[in-house]
């Protein structure tokens, strides 16, 4: 394998991709899990079958593609030009997250796009922390899964 191919794979997967041993990463996943667990206690019967393809795309396909593009490609390149950090967040992460949030304006309200900024910063933080995009993909899939469970199954009696 060529050296440039190895560097690209390392940038996406990471040099230290054992993120599940990191307490902050586990805490970031745990926050979504607690919300989902509480919510599951309040829901009733299942999701309509016609919603399933869109739900699968929103939980699995879009997060992977977004993370490969934003954290795997853009943030990796910006990190070489903007190495400064502020309160533990790289400038590359901040710029990538602002663009990521702005891209959601085409589909969502300004308030929704602004709300996307915080998870985006978290995804970028773990991309920087582990030197690759795999932890960001795991978190993004997990967060979207929890979020869409909340949207898909409204709780009438909580």
């Amino acid at each position: 394998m060529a050296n440039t191919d190895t560097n690209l794979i390392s940038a996406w997967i990471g040099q230290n991709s054992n993120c599940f041993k990191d307490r902050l990463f586990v805490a970031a996943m745990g926050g979504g899990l607690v919300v989902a667990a509480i919510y599951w206690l309040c829901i009733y019967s299942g999701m309509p079958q016609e919603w399933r393809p869109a739900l699968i795309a929103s939980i699995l396909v879009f997060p992977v593609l977004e993370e490969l593009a934003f954290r795997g490609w853009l943030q990796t390149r910006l990190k070489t030009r903007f190495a400064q950090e502020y309160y533990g967040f790289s400038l590359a992460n901040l710029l990538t997250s602002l663009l990521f949030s702005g891209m959601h304006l085409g589909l969502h309200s300004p308030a929704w796009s602004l709300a996307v900024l915080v998870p985006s910063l978290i995804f970028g933080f773990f991309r920087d922390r582990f030197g690759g995009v795999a932890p960001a993909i795991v978190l993004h899939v997990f967060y979207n899964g929890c979020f869409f469970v909340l949207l898909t199954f409204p709780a009438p009696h909580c």
Side-chain angles (χ1 to χ4, degrees):
M1 181 178 280
N3 191 27
T4 56
D5 292 340
T6 304
N7 290 340
L8 185 59
I9 291 169
S10 293
W12 285 1
I13 295 174
Q15 302 296 323
N16 179 10
S17 59
N18 198 353
C19 52
F20 291 101
K21 290 184 178 179
D22 183 87
R23 289 181 183 170
L24 285 175
F25 184 83
V26 173
M29 286 192 67
L33 186 58
V34 168
V35 170
I38 292 169
Y39 188 80
W40 272 100
L41 294 173
C42 301
I43 65 170
Y44 61 102
S45 65
M47 158 182 55
Q49 189 170 359
E50 61 271 10
W51 293 3
R52 291 179 186 164
L55 191 66
I56 290 169
S58 297
I59 293 173
L60 296 176
V61 177
F62 298 143
V64 171
L65 295 176
E66 288 174 350
E67 291 309 314
L68 289 174
F70 284 92
R71 253 61 67 187
W73 184 81
L74 181 62
Q75 187 169 329
T76 299
R77 269 124 195 97
L78 289 175
K79 187 85 170 163
T80 62
R81 297 194 65 179
F82 304 103
Q84 305 94 316
E85 288 198 8
Y86 304 97
Y87 304 102
F89 293 92
S90 70
L91 181 56
N93 178 12
L94 179 60
L95 294 172
T96 300
S97 293
L98 288 170
L99 183 60
F100 183 76
S101 296
M103 295 295 287
H104 281 79
L105 277 171
L107 300 171
H108 303 289
S109 70
W112 179 262
S113 296
L114 185 60
V116 167
L117 181 62
V118 173
S120 181
L121 287 167
I122 292 170
F123 304 153
F125 173 82
F126 285 105
R127 182 262 167 262
D128 286 343
R129 185 175 180 96
F130 291 101
V133 74
I137 290 173
V138 170
L139 281 175
H140 198 154
V141 167
F142 186 76
Y143 278 35
N144 275 23
C146 291
F147 174 76
F148 285 107
V149 163
L150 294 175
L151 275 182
T152 304
F153 300 107
H157 298 98
C158 278

